[in-house]
Amino acid sequence: EQVEAVGMVCRDLALVNNGEILPPLPPAIAYVEQVEAVGGAIGDLLPSPFPFSDGFVGDNIRDGGNDMYDGGNILNTNLRSRIPYTNNVVMPGDSFFGACSRYITIKYENFGTNMFLMAANGIAIEQFRVTGNLGADGSGSVNGFATSTTDGDGNPYRI
């Protein structure tokens, strides 16, 4: 197939090795899959985990339990607001993260607490925001943390 030199073409490829078809996973997406192996350790880093509800489908967590939100955890970029959750399925992210991007959202409930994760690969964005309304109506508090790690190939990731 011939492609003009101007523009961009996105193609999904499959690698064949010894007769097995292996779908390629972008590095950030493959990283999210590794979280299952170390999920307990990540869960242990959370300062005050809360077993929230919602977070599998839709584009926000409506309540979360105990009035955690009044519609929160809304994912946005400079390209589009209210990015849909994918429920552990890698999806094309062209209109959210830029041409040829892919993304995934996952809510884990098997680490003694709940954890919401989002990863994207091939992104071309200027801004990423998580927005929404906390349900505490001015009487709540927030805790958070950030850490960095590298994958087996030495690629850096920020968590």
Side-chain angles (χ1 to χ4, degrees):
E1 160 182 3
Q2 289 187 339
V3 179
E4 287 184 39
V6 178
M8 181 182 292
V9 174
C10 303
R11 296 282 188 255
D12 287 332
L13 302 174
L15 304 176
V16 177
N17 183 6
N18 296 330
E20 296 180 24
I21 297 177
L22 306 171
L25 290 175
I29 304 302
Y31 174 74
V32 170
E33 288 192 341
Q34 296 172 16
V35 168
E36 267 187 349
V38 297
I42 292 173
D44 290 344
L45 294 174
L46 299 175
S48 53
F50 177 75
F52 61 92
S53 59
D54 298 329
F56 293 105
V57 296
D59 61 13
N60 72 92
I61 296 175
R62 291 177 320 218
D63 180 75
N66 294 337
D67 211 21
M68 176 178 154
Y69 289 118
D70 287 332
N73 204 51
I74 302 168
L75 310 177
N76 311 278
T77 67
N78 56 294
L79 301 178
R80 185 159 169 203
S81 297
R82 302 188 80 93
I83 298 168
Y85 298 168
T86 71
N87 197 19
N88 203 20
V89 176
V90 177
M91 299 292 291
D94 299 25
S95 61
F96 313 115
F97 297 101
C100 300
S101 65
R102 290 179 170 275
Y103 80 106
I104 187 172
T105 65
I106 300 172
K107 180 188 176 187
Y108 288 107
E109 292 185 305
N110 56 341
F111 301 139
T113 187
N114 295 348
M115 191 172 4
F116 181 91
L117 301 170
M118 192 278 307
N121 190 72
I123 63 174
I125 58 172
E126 296 173 8
Q127 187 178 56
F128 178 79
R129 299 177 319 278
V130 180
T131 61
N133 183 6
L134 293 177
D137 301 321
S139 299
S141 63
V142 64
N143 286 320
F145 80 99
T147 186
S148 298
T149 188
T150 57
D151 66 11
D153 295 325
N155 297 311
Y157 291 94
R158 185 161 168 80
I159 303 171

